PDB file of all heavy atoms in Angstrom:
ATOM      1  N   ASP H  96      -1.641  25.984   7.753  1.00 97.00           N
ATOM      2  CA  ASP H  96      -1.384  24.708   8.423  1.00 97.00           C
ATOM      3  C   ASP H  96      -2.433  24.499   9.539  1.00 97.00           C
ATOM      4  O   ASP H  96      -2.578  25.311  10.400  1.00 97.00           O
ATOM      5  CB  ASP H  96       0.017  24.652   8.994  1.00 97.00           C
ATOM      6  CG  ASP H  96       0.393  23.260   9.485  1.00 97.00           C
ATOM      7  OD1 ASP H  96      -0.359  22.363   9.405  1.00 97.00           O
ATOM      8  OD2 ASP H  96       1.534  23.143  10.001  1.00 97.00           O
ATOM      9  N   GLY H  97      -3.168  23.385   9.387  1.00 96.00           N
ATOM     10  CA  GLY H  97      -4.165  23.042  10.403  1.00 96.00           C
ATOM     11  C   GLY H  97      -5.543  23.525  10.088  1.00 96.00           C
ATOM     12  O   GLY H  97      -6.521  23.143  10.764  1.00 96.00           O
ATOM     13  N   ARG H  98      -5.751  24.327   9.051  1.00 96.00           N
ATOM     14  CA  ARG H  98      -7.109  24.750   8.677  1.00 96.00           C
ATOM     15  C   ARG H  98      -7.891  23.539   8.087  1.00 96.00           C
ATOM     16  O   ARG H  98      -7.318  22.797   7.261  1.00 96.00           O
ATOM     17  CB  ARG H  98      -7.121  25.844   7.652  1.00 96.00           C
ATOM     18  CG  ARG H  98      -6.712  27.183   8.173  1.00 96.00           C
ATOM     19  CD  ARG H  98      -7.052  28.243   7.124  1.00 96.00           C
ATOM     20  NE  ARG H  98      -6.458  29.505   7.474  1.00 96.00           N
ATOM     21  CZ  ARG H  98      -6.637  30.594   6.762  1.00 96.00           C
ATOM     22  NH1 ARG H  98      -7.217  30.570   5.607  1.00 96.00           N
ATOM     23  NH2 ARG H  98      -6.084  31.765   7.188  1.00 96.00           N
ATOM     24  N   PRO H  99      -9.084  23.336   8.503  1.00 95.00           N
ATOM     25  CA  PRO H  99      -9.833  22.220   7.954  1.00 95.00           C
ATOM     26  C   PRO H  99     -10.458  22.493   6.645  1.00 95.00           C
ATOM     27  O   PRO H  99     -10.579  23.680   6.192  1.00 95.00           O
ATOM     28  CB  PRO H  99     -10.932  22.038   8.993  1.00 95.00           C
ATOM     29  CG  PRO H  99     -11.165  23.400   9.565  1.00 95.00           C
ATOM     30  CD  PRO H  99      -9.764  24.071   9.559  1.00 95.00           C
ATOM     31  N   ASN H 100     -10.781  21.449   5.900  1.00 95.00           N
ATOM     32  CA  ASN H 100     -11.591  21.553   4.663  1.00 95.00           C
ATOM     33  C   ASN H 100     -10.937  22.458   3.608  1.00 95.00           C
ATOM     34  O   ASN H 100     -11.569  23.384   3.120  1.00 95.00           O
ATOM     35  CB  ASN H 100     -13.005  22.022   4.938  1.00 95.00           C
ATOM     36  CG  ASN H 100     -13.653  21.134   5.977  1.00 95.00           C
ATOM     37  OD1 ASN H 100     -13.590  19.909   5.923  1.00 95.00           O
ATOM     38  ND2 ASN H 100     -14.269  21.743   6.949  1.00 95.00           N
ATOM     39  N   LYS H 101      -9.685  22.187   3.234  1.00 97.00           N
ATOM     40  CA  LYS H 101      -8.986  23.065   2.275  1.00 97.00           C
ATOM     41  C   LYS H 101      -9.140  22.593   0.830  1.00 97.00           C
ATOM     42  O   LYS H 101      -8.617  23.249  -0.045  1.00 97.00           O
ATOM     43  CB  LYS H 101      -7.517  23.081   2.653  1.00 97.00           C
ATOM     44  CG  LYS H 101      -7.271  23.717   4.024  1.00 97.00           C
ATOM     45  CD  LYS H 101      -5.845  24.064   4.290  1.00 97.00           C
ATOM     46  CE  LYS H 101      -4.893  22.958   4.332  1.00 97.00           C
ATOM     47  NZ  LYS H 101      -3.529  23.360   4.703  1.00 97.00           N
ATOM     48  N   ARG H 102      -9.861  21.567   0.594  1.00 95.00           N
ATOM     49  CA  ARG H 102      -9.966  21.006  -0.806  1.00 95.00           C
ATOM     50  C   ARG H 102     -10.408  22.078  -1.820  1.00 95.00           C
ATOM     51  O   ARG H 102      -9.956  22.055  -2.946  1.00 95.00           O
ATOM     52  CB  ARG H 102     -10.954  19.807  -0.814  1.00 95.00           C
ATOM     53  CG  ARG H 102     -11.138  19.312  -2.200  1.00 95.00           C
ATOM     54  CD  ARG H 102     -10.834  17.855  -2.353  1.00 95.00           C
ATOM     55  NE  ARG H 102     -11.084  17.440  -3.747  1.00 95.00           N
ATOM     56  CZ  ARG H 102     -12.021  16.636  -4.116  1.00 95.00           C
ATOM     57  NH1 ARG H 102     -12.773  16.037  -3.231  1.00 95.00           N
ATOM     58  NH2 ARG H 102     -12.166  16.316  -5.372  1.00 95.00           N
ATOM     59  N   GLU H 103     -11.272  22.947  -1.413  1.00 95.00           N
ATOM     60  CA  GLU H 103     -11.722  23.983  -2.382  1.00 95.00           C
ATOM     61  C   GLU H 103     -10.619  24.879  -2.882  1.00 95.00           C
ATOM     62  O   GLU H 103     -10.776  25.508  -3.868  1.00 95.00           O
ATOM     63  CB  GLU H 103     -12.894  24.789  -1.785  1.00 95.00           C
ATOM     64  CG  GLU H 103     -12.501  25.668  -0.646  1.00 95.00           C
ATOM     65  CD  GLU H 103     -13.663  26.432  -0.068  1.00 95.00           C
ATOM     66  OE1 GLU H 103     -14.051  27.431  -0.638  1.00 95.00           O
ATOM     67  OE2 GLU H 103     -14.151  26.016   1.021  1.00 95.00           O
ATOM     68  N   TRP H 104      -9.506  24.882  -2.153  1.00 96.00           N
ATOM     69  CA  TRP H 104      -8.359  25.713  -2.588  1.00 96.00           C
ATOM     70  C   TRP H 104      -7.305  24.931  -3.346  1.00 96.00           C
ATOM     71  O   TRP H 104      -6.272  25.449  -3.720  1.00 96.00           O
ATOM     72  CB  TRP H 104      -7.717  26.361  -1.381  1.00 96.00           C
ATOM     73  CG  TRP H 104      -8.554  27.489  -0.837  1.00 96.00           C
ATOM     74  CD1 TRP H 104      -8.738  28.720  -1.376  1.00 96.00           C
ATOM     75  CD2 TRP H 104      -9.401  27.411   0.305  1.00 96.00           C
ATOM     76  NE1 TRP H 104      -9.636  29.462  -0.607  1.00 96.00           N
ATOM     77  CE2 TRP H 104     -10.038  28.718   0.431  1.00 96.00           C
ATOM     78  CE3 TRP H 104      -9.685  26.443   1.266  1.00 96.00           C
ATOM     79  CZ2 TRP H 104     -10.921  28.971   1.477  1.00 96.00           C
ATOM     80  CZ3 TRP H 104     -10.629  26.750   2.297  1.00 96.00           C
ATOM     81  CH2 TRP H 104     -11.184  27.989   2.338  1.00 96.00           C
ATOM     82  N   LEU H 105      -7.566  23.628  -3.592  1.00 97.00           N
ATOM     83  CA  LEU H 105      -6.654  22.845  -4.371  1.00 97.00           C
ATOM     84  C   LEU H 105      -6.627  23.370  -5.828  1.00 97.00           C
ATOM     85  O   LEU H 105      -7.654  23.419  -6.487  1.00 97.00           O
ATOM     86  CB  LEU H 105      -7.057  21.375  -4.381  1.00 97.00           C
ATOM     87  CG  LEU H 105      -6.272  20.393  -5.273  1.00 97.00           C
ATOM     88  CD1 LEU H 105      -4.766  20.442  -4.892  1.00 97.00           C
ATOM     89  CD2 LEU H 105      -6.817  18.996  -5.163  1.00 97.00           C
ATOM     90  N   VAL H 106      -5.430  23.764  -6.301  1.00 95.00           N
ATOM     91  CA  VAL H 106      -5.313  24.294  -7.627  1.00 95.00           C
ATOM     92  C   VAL H 106      -4.921  23.205  -8.570  1.00 95.00           C
ATOM     93  O   VAL H 106      -3.861  22.498  -8.414  1.00 95.00           O
ATOM     94  CB  VAL H 106      -4.256  25.415  -7.686  1.00 95.00           C
ATOM     95  CG1 VAL H 106      -4.016  25.900  -9.125  1.00 95.00           C
ATOM     96  CG2 VAL H 106      -4.616  26.560  -6.728  1.00 95.00           C
ATOM     97  N   VAL H 107      -5.799  23.010  -9.551  1.00 91.00           N
ATOM     98  CA  VAL H 107      -5.531  21.968 -10.611  1.00 91.00           C
ATOM     99  C   VAL H 107      -5.618  22.705 -11.968  1.00 91.00           C
ATOM    100  O   VAL H 107      -6.604  23.342 -12.206  1.00 91.00           O
ATOM    101  CB  VAL H 107      -6.556  20.807 -10.512  1.00 91.00           C
ATOM    102  CG1 VAL H 107      -6.333  19.790 -11.586  1.00 91.00           C
ATOM    103  CG2 VAL H 107      -6.564  20.170  -9.136  1.00 91.00           C
ATOM    104  N   GLU H 108      -4.577  22.509 -12.728  1.00 78.00           N
ATOM    105  CA  GLU H 108      -4.564  23.193 -14.033  1.00 78.00           C
ATOM    106  C   GLU H 108      -5.699  22.759 -14.924  1.00 78.00           C
ATOM    107  O   GLU H 108      -6.214  21.643 -14.842  1.00 78.00           O
ATOM    108  CB  GLU H 108      -3.198  22.909 -14.756  1.00 78.00           C
ATOM    109  CG  GLU H 108      -2.004  23.412 -14.003  1.00 78.00           C
ATOM    110  CD  GLU H 108      -1.500  22.429 -12.993  1.00 78.00           C
ATOM    111  OE1 GLU H 108      -2.154  21.426 -12.690  1.00 78.00           O
ATOM    112  OE2 GLU H 108      -0.460  22.779 -12.379  1.00 78.00           O
ATOM    113  N   GLU H 109      -6.058  23.595 -15.816  1.00 63.00           N
ATOM    114  CA  GLU H 109      -7.171  23.303 -16.808  1.00 63.00           C
ATOM    115  C   GLU H 109      -6.909  22.041 -17.604  1.00 63.00           C
ATOM    116  O   GLU H 109      -7.819  21.334 -17.968  1.00 63.00           O
ATOM    117  CB  GLU H 109      -7.376  24.489 -17.740  1.00 63.00           C
ATOM    118  CG  GLU H 109      -8.016  25.673 -17.057  1.00 63.00           C
ATOM    119  CD  GLU H 109      -9.431  25.352 -16.619  1.00 63.00           C
ATOM    120  OE1 GLU H 109     -10.189  24.757 -17.384  1.00 63.00           O
ATOM    121  OE2 GLU H 109      -9.801  25.789 -15.539  1.00 63.00           O
ATOM    122  N   SER H 110      -5.666  21.747 -17.865  1.00 56.00           N
ATOM    123  CA  SER H 110      -5.343  20.609 -18.727  1.00 56.00           C
ATOM    124  C   SER H 110      -5.593  19.251 -18.026  1.00 56.00           C
ATOM    125  O   SER H 110      -5.612  18.222 -18.634  1.00 56.00           O
ATOM    126  CB  SER H 110      -3.864  20.636 -19.163  1.00 56.00           C
ATOM    127  OG  SER H 110      -3.018  20.593 -18.001  1.00 56.00           O
ATOM    128  N   VAL H 111      -5.744  19.274 -16.676  1.00 62.00           N
ATOM    129  CA  VAL H 111      -6.034  18.053 -15.930  1.00 62.00           C
ATOM    130  C   VAL H 111      -7.541  17.884 -15.804  1.00 62.00           C
ATOM    131  O   VAL H 111      -8.217  18.690 -15.263  1.00 62.00           O
ATOM    132  CB  VAL H 111      -5.349  18.104 -14.550  1.00 62.00           C
ATOM    133  CG1 VAL H 111      -5.709  16.898 -13.732  1.00 62.00           C
ATOM    134  CG2 VAL H 111      -3.853  18.330 -14.659  1.00 62.00           C
ATOM    135  N   ARG H 112      -7.958  16.766 -16.354  1.00 57.00           N
ATOM    136  CA  ARG H 112      -9.398  16.445 -16.263  1.00 57.00           C
ATOM    137  C   ARG H 112      -9.656  15.333 -15.276  1.00 57.00           C
ATOM    138  O   ARG H 112      -9.195  14.231 -15.456  1.00 57.00           O
ATOM    139  CB  ARG H 112      -9.881  15.979 -17.675  1.00 57.00           C
ATOM    140  CG  ARG H 112      -9.679  17.067 -18.720  1.00 57.00           C
ATOM    141  CD  ARG H 112     -10.734  18.108 -18.659  1.00 57.00           C
ATOM    142  NE  ARG H 112     -10.500  19.079 -19.685  1.00 57.00           N
ATOM    143  CZ  ARG H 112     -10.454  20.387 -19.473  1.00 57.00           C
ATOM    144  NH1 ARG H 112     -10.645  20.883 -18.279  1.00 57.00           N
ATOM    145  NH2 ARG H 112     -10.226  21.233 -20.472  1.00 57.00           N
ATOM    146  N   TRP H 113     -10.369  15.610 -14.224  1.00 52.00           N
ATOM    147  CA  TRP H 113     -10.715  14.621 -13.274  1.00 52.00           C
ATOM    148  C   TRP H 113     -11.921  15.111 -12.528  1.00 52.00           C
ATOM    149  O   TRP H 113     -12.256  16.233 -12.482  1.00 52.00           O
ATOM    150  CB  TRP H 113      -9.547  14.341 -12.294  1.00 52.00           C
ATOM    151  CG  TRP H 113      -9.065  15.547 -11.504  1.00 52.00           C
ATOM    152  CD1 TRP H 113      -8.428  16.638 -12.034  1.00 52.00           C
ATOM    153  CD2 TRP H 113      -9.231  15.769 -10.125  1.00 52.00           C
ATOM    154  NE1 TRP H 113      -8.166  17.533 -11.020  1.00 52.00           N
ATOM    155  CE2 TRP H 113      -8.691  17.053  -9.854  1.00 52.00           C
ATOM    156  CE3 TRP H 113      -9.809  15.048  -9.105  1.00 52.00           C
ATOM    157  CZ2 TRP H 113      -8.646  17.582  -8.564  1.00 52.00           C
ATOM    158  CZ3 TRP H 113      -9.795  15.617  -7.811  1.00 52.00           C
ATOM    159  CH2 TRP H 113      -9.209  16.807  -7.560  1.00 52.00           C
ATOM    160  N   ALA H 114     -12.547  14.139 -11.886  1.00 48.00           N
ATOM    161  CA  ALA H 114     -13.853  14.443 -11.166  1.00 48.00           C
ATOM    162  C   ALA H 114     -13.527  15.014  -9.773  1.00 48.00           C
ATOM    163  O   ALA H 114     -12.892  14.341  -8.976  1.00 48.00           O
ATOM    164  CB  ALA H 114     -14.683  13.196 -11.051  1.00 48.00           C
TER     165      ALA H 114
END
Side-chain angles (χ1 to χ4, degrees):
D96 190 359
R98 285 192 189 180
N100 306 314
K101 297 195 294 185
R102 174 126 180 245
E103 67 184 281
W104 288 284
L105 174 58
V106 177
V107 179
E108 297 85 354
E109 288 294 317
S110 62
V111 178
R112 301 282 180 228
W113 60 291

